[in-house]
Amino acid sequence: MIDEQTDKSRNSFWKELPILLGVAILVAVLVRAFVLQTFFIPSPSMENTLQIDDRVLVNKLVYDFRSPKRGEVVVFKAPTSWSSDEEDFIKRVIGTGGDHVVCCDEQGRITINGVALDEPYLYSVGGERDQPADQDFDITVPRGRLWVMGDHRSASGDSLQHWQQSGENVHQATVPEDRLVGRAFTIFWPLDRARWLSVPEQYGPIPRPGT
C-alpha cells in the first residue's frame, strides 16, 4: 500500500511539474514587465555611486503612483533629441517640474529654488572631485519634465550636455516623465557593493517651486 501511494505521488509530481514551471515562468515574465527589472551599468557616467558592470534593481511601478523626487536615481528611455535608438539611460534627478536650477553660487554649488545643494556623491579620484557643472546655467524645468545629471559630471551625457548642444533649449535638455522606466533603488551585484540607493539627505531642505 505504501509503495503504491509513493508511486502515485511521484507520478502526480512529474505530471504537475510542467504546470508549476509554466506558472513560475509566467510570474517571472509579469514581474519583469510590470514590477521589477534588472539593469547593468555600461558606462562611468554615475561613478562613484555606480560602477561599470554593477547590476541595479529598478522599481517600474513607483511612478505610476507618485511623481519622481529630486535626488532619486532613475532609468529612462532616452528622448529622441538625445538618441534615436531609445537607449536606456541612468541618471540622478536634480530638478523636477517648476524647479529653478542655477549654477553656480559663490561656493561653486548648484542651487535649486534659491537653496544651495551640497553633492557628496560627485565623482572623485585622488582627492580631486568633479565640479557640479563645467559652465554656468540658469534654467526652469518645464512641468512634467526632469533635469537629470550623472554623478560623474565630467563623463556624463546628461541634461547639461544636451542643453549646451541644443543651443540652451531646456525642452531638449530635459526628460519627459513619461519616458521613465522606473527608480533604481538598490545595487544587488556584485555582492561586495550591494547597498540601497537612497535619496541623499542634502535634498531635504530644497523647497518647492515658488515657496
Side-chain angles (χ1 to χ4, degrees), residues 73-92:
V73 177
V74 297
V75 173
F76 57 93
K77 295 290 182 184
T80 54
S81 59
W82 290 32
S83 170
S84 59
D85 296 330
E86 293 198 338
E87 298 175 83
D88 291 322
F89 279 52
I90 185 165
K91 306 293 179 190
R92 189 181 298 277

Side-chain angles (χ1 to χ4, degrees), residues 24-94:
I25 292 170
L26 178 60
V27 169
V29 169
L30 290 174
V31 167
R32 186 183 187 280
F34 300 107
V35 183
L36 299 174
Q37 188 172 348
T38 61
F39 287 85
F40 84 96
I41 306 305
S43 78
S45 69
M46 282 294 292
E47 291 177 339
N48 290 319
T49 303
L50 301 174
Q51 303 287 348
I52 293 175
D53 291 334
D54 279 356
R55 265 61 173 178
V56 299
L57 199 57
V58 172
N59 182 335
K60 300 177 71 173
L61 279 180
V62 61
Y63 299 133
D64 290 336
F65 299 97
R66 67 167 176 82
S67 297
K69 298 179 180 179
R70 304 181 202 97
E72 293 180 335
V73 177
V74 297
V75 173
F76 57 93
K77 295 290 182 184
T80 54
S81 59
W82 290 32
S83 170
S84 59
D85 296 330
E86 293 198 338
E87 298 175 83
D88 291 322
F89 279 52
I90 185 165
K91 306 293 179 190
R92 189 181 298 277
V93 177
I94 302 298

